[in-house]
């Protein structure tokens, strides 16, 4: 008889993908960004402006690159890092210095923290992988203290004169690297599509403002394929 089970949701598919690619995640990020990924994560952490003795939440922490960079910047602060891939959390918790960070399984759609819990929220490559960007940003607004900052690292579709050659490069290079390095062309084909199919900076900024954030600023990176956006809760 045919199965009547509903197809997996986007969240379930994304969770499955990231559990599959954990062992190659850091290496692939270095290759796909020509070694710039770690520098962007340090930029995100530095932009969080966590006060002395404050607290920061890194969502979709993956292997913990942003969270560990934040620990270096704010050694006397409390750093929480959450993800819904348990394999990613396990990998992150093995890294040098990781014992000083609180690692926790959590869903970005329903964060297990009270209102006004953190001075800053950061995340890398979260929004392109969720069903409802506005809901996820509303949750971040909720858990931030008044005056707290959110700093976002994301991919964005290239624009301008380099749009077509960069798009072609992304379509070819990311799945090819996935095949050669991770032996997983399928997962990296998904990541290629989510990179090119995500919102522009202006679209993300519009949602941030609709949610209630102010002082929104953004800058593009890497031929316009990445962006760092910051905003403040009133």
């Amino acid at each position: 008889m045919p199965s009547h089970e509903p197809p997996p949701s986007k969240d379930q598919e994304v969770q499955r993908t990231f559990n599959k690619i954990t062992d190659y995640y850091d290496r692939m990020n270095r290759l796909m960004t020509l070694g710039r990924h770690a520098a962007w994560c340090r930029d995100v952490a530095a932009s969080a402006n966590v006060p002395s003795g404050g607290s920061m939440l890194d969502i979709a922490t993956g292997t913990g690159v942003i969270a560990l960079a934040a620990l270096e910047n704010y050694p006397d602060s409390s750093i929480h890092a959450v993800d819904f891939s348990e394999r990613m959390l396990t990998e992150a918790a093995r890294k040098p210095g990781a014992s000083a960070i609180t690692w926790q399984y959590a869903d970005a759609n329903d964060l297990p923290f009270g209102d006004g819990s953190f001075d800053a929220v950061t995340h890398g490559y979260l929004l392109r992988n969720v069903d409802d960007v506005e809901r996820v940003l509303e949750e971040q607004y909720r858990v931030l203290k008044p005056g707290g900052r959110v700093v976002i690292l994301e991919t964005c579709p290239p624009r301008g004169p380099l749009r077509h050659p960069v798009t072609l490069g992304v379509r070819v290079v990311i799945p090819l690297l996935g095949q050669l390095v991770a032996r997983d062309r399928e997962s990296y084909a998904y990541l290629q599509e989510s990179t090119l199919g995500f919102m522009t900076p202006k679209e993300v900024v519009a949602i941030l403002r609709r949610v209630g954030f102010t002082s929104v600023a953004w800058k593009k990176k890497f031929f316009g394929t990445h962006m760092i956006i910051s905003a403040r809760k009133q």
Side-chain angles (χ1 to χ4, degrees), residues 17-167:
T17 295
F18 280 90
N19 277 330
K20 280 175 63 180
I21 66 176
T22 299
D23 293 342
Y24 306 96
Y25 187 70
D26 286 337
R27 190 186 315 170
M28 284 293 294
N29 277 340
R30 284 195 300 272
L31 291 170
M32 291 188 298
T33 65
L34 300 181
R36 299 304 299 158
H37 174 69
W40 298 338
C41 291
R42 290 193 295 270
D43 192 348
V44 168
S47 299
N49 292 336
V50 182
S52 179
S55 58
M56 191 193 99
L57 173 65
D58 185 44
I59 308 172
T61 193
T63 56
V65 181
I66 293 175
L68 289 162
L71 184 65
E72 290 186 11
N73 279 25
Y74 318 109
D76 64 341
S77 295
S78 173
I79 310 295
H80 283 69
V82 300
D83 203 293
F84 76 163
S85 166
E86 292 181 338
R87 288 201 68 211
M88 286 284 188
L89 288 168
T90 299
E91 182 68 21
R94 293 191 181 116
K95 291 187 172 182
S99 60
I101 295 172
T102 301
W103 307 96
Q104 185 173 343
Y105 178 92
D107 185 343
N109 294 284
D110 187 19
L111 295 170
F113 305 105
D115 297 356
S117 295
F118 298 97
D119 294 289
V121 169
T122 59
H123 47 92
Y125 312 128
L126 164 67
L127 299 181
R128 65 175 179 167
N129 291 311
V130 301
D131 281 318
D132 190 338
V133 169
E134 187 158 346
R135 174 180 173 177
V136 167
L137 290 174
E138 285 173 344
E139 269 293 273
Q140 294 169 30
Y141 191 91
R142 179 184 68 78
V143 302
L144 273 172
K145 297 176 183 178
R149 288 171 62 82
V150 62
V151 189
I152 301 164
L153 170 63
E154 263 300 346
T155 57
C156 61
R159 293 289 187 266
L162 293 177
R163 175 184 180 182
H164 293 297
V166 170
T167 297

Side-chain angles (χ1 to χ4, degrees), residues 216-234:
V216 184
W218 56 272
K219 53 190 175 184
K220 285 188 175 182
K221 301 282 188 180
F222 205 56
F223 308 109
T225 60
H226 291 68
M227 56 184 167
I228 295 177
I229 303 177
S230 62
R232 187 173 64 84
K233 178 177 178 177
Q234 288 185 311

Side-chain angles (χ1 to χ4, degrees), residues 173-202:
V173 171
I174 292 180
L176 180 60
L177 283 173
Q179 178 63 38
L180 294 176
V181 176
R183 299 292 190 269
D184 187 353
R185 189 180 187 91
E186 180 184 0
S187 295
Y188 282 93
Y190 160 75
L191 294 177
Q192 165 250 307
E193 289 296 337
S194 64
T195 294
L196 295 175
F198 189 57
M199 301 174 183
T200 65
K202 289 182 179 179

